[in-house]
């Protein structure tokens, strides 16, 4: 029998949000430290959860598994009820049976109803007839895999030893020392900081600091040139995921009917570990998260997540793909845009699966002038690389969204960073050749940051801020736009006090209008900054934006041709080997 999915328990070292794993009543409890669940009589457990349900449609549509069984290790007497849950349908009981043992034992149960299922979520409920306990359980199939999967896990690291070293130990223990996977997986860490020690069973690759683009490309190139691997998995250096997610990825790829199948892990938030930031993403000129902000404790949200939707790209915090389909390495973005560009240029069939994910620091906290500079560059370049059909006017629309909104909401330094990105893009191919490492650009951007440096916000400030007005009349809206969100108004029209906005998502023009000061705050960490209305900066930067926007528009055809003609070169083995000093 081949295991396609095993039980997952909450962990003290990773996530203790129990209702992502199990639903329990007052007569049952989970022992997180030792990974088992104990039951009194009438104790109940349900697995209609993010990590322990089975995504029927994904396994049915993308694999050849038409025969499934279930194995559980337990002690006691339980009633087992199998449930089918589908969006817009009532829950349906598929089967009921009793299992009993006075000693710890494992039983295997054929799931005869599996052949008739099409979509939705498969889960089971246990009800204790007498006291007992359960330990592990798994879903298995007698069908032989149709694909050989040899997975190279590539992690890019830069000066985060406190995260990467414990993560590697966890991966070694739970993955490399598992006899079912030890011969299917290898770990590679591309060390951009060149300061990691030797680690047993882990391949350390010292590398130039060329960001995520260079780090992941170095690892990918190593896998391809070795000839020993079929698939690659890109992961962040804290490996903040359930290792079972990697195992499910391997199983899904082993049974995938389409050789182009790739797996995008969802991004969950560190601050709210049950909150989904995105489950894959689309790119239509701007990045669009798929199924954002779902509460994954909620069954309805899980069923929404089960609905298949075309995925344009997966973030490199967790992205597995077949090496046979790789025709280009990453474009030298350093970071930001490398993952989306990589997927858009390749013909992957990208899918996601409940339970395959990674917890990440909130993007809102990390956002600022430097990330926005990088975001602006790649949004423009994706247009020039023709990943979405577009015209010169689309460049203006994109840059207006990325730059002007920040200027209108007093985030002048972020707006200026966006302008710097536009000025660099119009330099053409030579700019990218000379700035792969960002060693000159990063200090240049850091110099413009003063007001938008993140600091701890004292309670006496954050507790006394004003909520902006969410409503406005039509005439007020016309006045707001006519005055460039107040930048044409004399100061005596402005209100007293500090209005607040969520950091990282751009300000709300309506709520900021006619306030002189704005607190941008990330509430989970109580970090942020206070910005002030500044007419001088606004009009200087607006003039600079209009100048470079005109140049982008005027040179659009020339730049698009140059960038398309140079794309193969700037994503080639030869180009990257020069950066790695291997030429």
């Amino acid at each position: 029998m081949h295991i396609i999915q095993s039980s997952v328990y909450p962990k003290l070292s990773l996530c203790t949000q129990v209702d992502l794993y199990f639903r329990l009543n007052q007569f049952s409890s989970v022992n997180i430290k030792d990974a088992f669940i104990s039951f009194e009589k009438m104790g109940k457990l349900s697995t209609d959860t993010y990590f322990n349900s089975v995504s029927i449609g994904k396994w049915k549509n993308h694999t050849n598994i038409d025969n499934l069984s279930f194995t559980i290790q337990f002690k006691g007497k339980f009633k087992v009820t199998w449930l089918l849950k589908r969006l817009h349908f009532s829950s349906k009981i598929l089967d009921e049976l009793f299992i009993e043992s006075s000693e710890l034992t494992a039983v295997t149960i054929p799931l005869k109803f599996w052949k008739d299922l099409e979509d939705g979520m498969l889960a089971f409920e246990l009800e204790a007839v007498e006291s007992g306990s359960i330990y592990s359980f798994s879903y298995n199939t007698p069908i032989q895999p149709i694909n050989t999967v040899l997975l190279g896990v590539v992690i890019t690291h830069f000066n985060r030893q406190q995260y990467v070293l414990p993560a590697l130990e966890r991966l070694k223990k739970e993955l490399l020392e598992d006899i079912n996977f030890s011969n299917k997986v290898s770990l590679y860490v591309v060390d951009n900081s060149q300061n990691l020690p030797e680690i047993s069973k882990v391949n350390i690759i010292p590398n130039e600091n060329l960001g995520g683009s260079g780090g992941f490309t170095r690892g990918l190139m190593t896998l391809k040139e070795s000839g020993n691997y079929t698939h690659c998995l890109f992961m962040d250096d804290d490996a903040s995921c359930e290792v079972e997610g990697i195992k499910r990825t391997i199983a899904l790829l082993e049974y995938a009917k389409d050789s182009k199948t790739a797996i995008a892990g969802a991004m969950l938030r560190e601050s709210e570990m049950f909150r989904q930031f995105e489950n894959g993403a689309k790119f239509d000129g701007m990045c669009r998260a798929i199924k954002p902000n779902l509460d994954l404790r909620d069954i309805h949200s899980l069923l929404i997540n089960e609905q298949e939707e075309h995925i344009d790209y997966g973030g490199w915090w967790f992205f597995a793909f077949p090496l046979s389909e790789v025709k280009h390495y990453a474009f030298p973005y350093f970071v930001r845009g490398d993952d989306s560009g990589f997927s858009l240029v390749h013909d992957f069939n990208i899918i996601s699966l409940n339970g395959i994910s990674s917890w990440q620091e909130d993007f809102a906290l990390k956002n600022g002038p430097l990330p926005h500079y990088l975001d602006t560059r790649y949004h423009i370049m994706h247009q020039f690389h023709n990943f979405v059909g577009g015209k010169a006017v689309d460049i203006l629309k994109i840059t207006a969204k990325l730059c002007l909104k920040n200027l209108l909401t007093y985030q002048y330094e972020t707006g200026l960073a966006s302008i710097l990105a536009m000025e660099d893009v119009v330099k053409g191919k030579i700019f990218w050749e000379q700035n792969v490492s960002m060693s000159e650009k990063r200090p240049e951007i850091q110099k413009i940051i003063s007001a938008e440096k993140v600091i701890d916000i004292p309670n006496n400030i954050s507790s006394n801020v004003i909520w902006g007005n969410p409503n406005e009349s039509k005439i007020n809206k016309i006045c707001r736009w006519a005055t460039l969100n107040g930048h044409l108004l004399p100061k005596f029209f402005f209100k007293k006090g500090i209005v607040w906005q969520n950091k990282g998502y751009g300000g709300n023009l309506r709520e900021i209008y006619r306030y002189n000061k704005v607190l941008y705050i990330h509430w989970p960490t109580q970090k942020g900054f206070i910005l002030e209305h500044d007419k001088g900066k606004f009009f200087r930067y607006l003039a600079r934006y209009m100048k470079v926007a005109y140049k982008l528009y005027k040179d659009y055809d020339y730049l698009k041709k140059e960038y398309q003609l140079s794309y193969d070169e700037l994503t080639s083995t030869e180009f990257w080997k020069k950066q790695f000093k291997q030429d």
Side-chain angles (χ1 to χ4, degrees), residues 209-357:
N209 183 21
L210 304 174
S213 300
F216 285 118
T217 293
R218 182 70 183 272
L220 176 56
M221 187 178 293
T222 300
L223 298 188
K224 284 178 66 70
E225 291 184 345
S226 74
N228 297 326
Y229 301 93
T230 61
H231 293 77
C232 175
L233 170 61
F234 286 160
M235 290 181 62
D236 276 351
D237 56 2
D238 57 4
S240 187
C241 69
E242 290 289 356
V243 174
E244 169 65 17
I246 302 175
K247 296 177 180 179
R248 292 180 190 179
T249 296
I250 293 171
L252 207 155
L253 292 173
E254 286 182 324
Y255 289 95
K257 292 184 285 188
D258 186 348
S259 62
K260 298 178 180 180
T261 298
I263 314 295
M267 175 180 162
L268 312 186
R269 290 178 174 168
E270 280 186 353
S271 57
E272 293 181 292
M273 302 195 82
F274 55 83
R275 186 77 63 190
Q276 181 168 275
F277 182 85
E278 70 174 47
N279 194 20
K282 295 181 181 294
F283 188 83
D284 60 2
M286 299 292 290
C287 293
R288 315 286 184 188
I290 294 176
K291 300 183 174 74
N293 298 317
L294 291 180
D295 182 343
L296 299 179
R297 301 170 298 179
D298 175 65
I299 294 175
H300 184 73
S301 293
L302 296 179
L303 295 177
I304 290 173
N305 241 15
E306 294 285 4
Q307 303 301 298
E308 291 225 46
E309 194 168 338
H310 178 77
I311 298 174
D312 287 333
Y313 72 92
W316 282 357
W317 49 78
F318 193 112
F319 186 65
F321 55 93
L323 295 178
S324 60
E325 295 300 313
V326 175
K327 306 298 187 293
H328 298 271
Y329 291 113
F331 190 81
Y333 286 117
F334 193 78
V335 292
R336 303 267 188 159
D338 41 11
D339 49 9
S340 54
F342 183 77
S343 290
L344 289 167
V345 80
H346 289 107
D347 189 23
F348 298 133
N349 175 24
I350 304 173
I351 62 175
S352 63
L353 195 74
N354 277 345
I356 298 179
S357 56

Side-chain angles (χ1 to χ4, degrees), residues 1 3 78 121 165 175 183 241 275 341 366 466 539 554:
M1 298 288 273
I3 297 173
F78 296 94
M121 182 169 70
L165 296 177
L175 191 63
N183 62 342
C241 69
R275 186 77 63 190
K366 295 187 285 186
I466 299 167
F539 286 107
K554 180 173 66 71

Side-chain angles (χ1 to χ4, degrees), residues 7 31 67 157-158 187 238 338 346 404 409 416 450 544 548:
S7 53
N31 184 313
N67 188 322
H157 163 260
F158 183 77
L187 290 180
D238 57 4
D338 41 11
H346 289 107
L404 295 184
T409 55
L416 178 57
S450 58
R544 189 167 170 180
V548 69

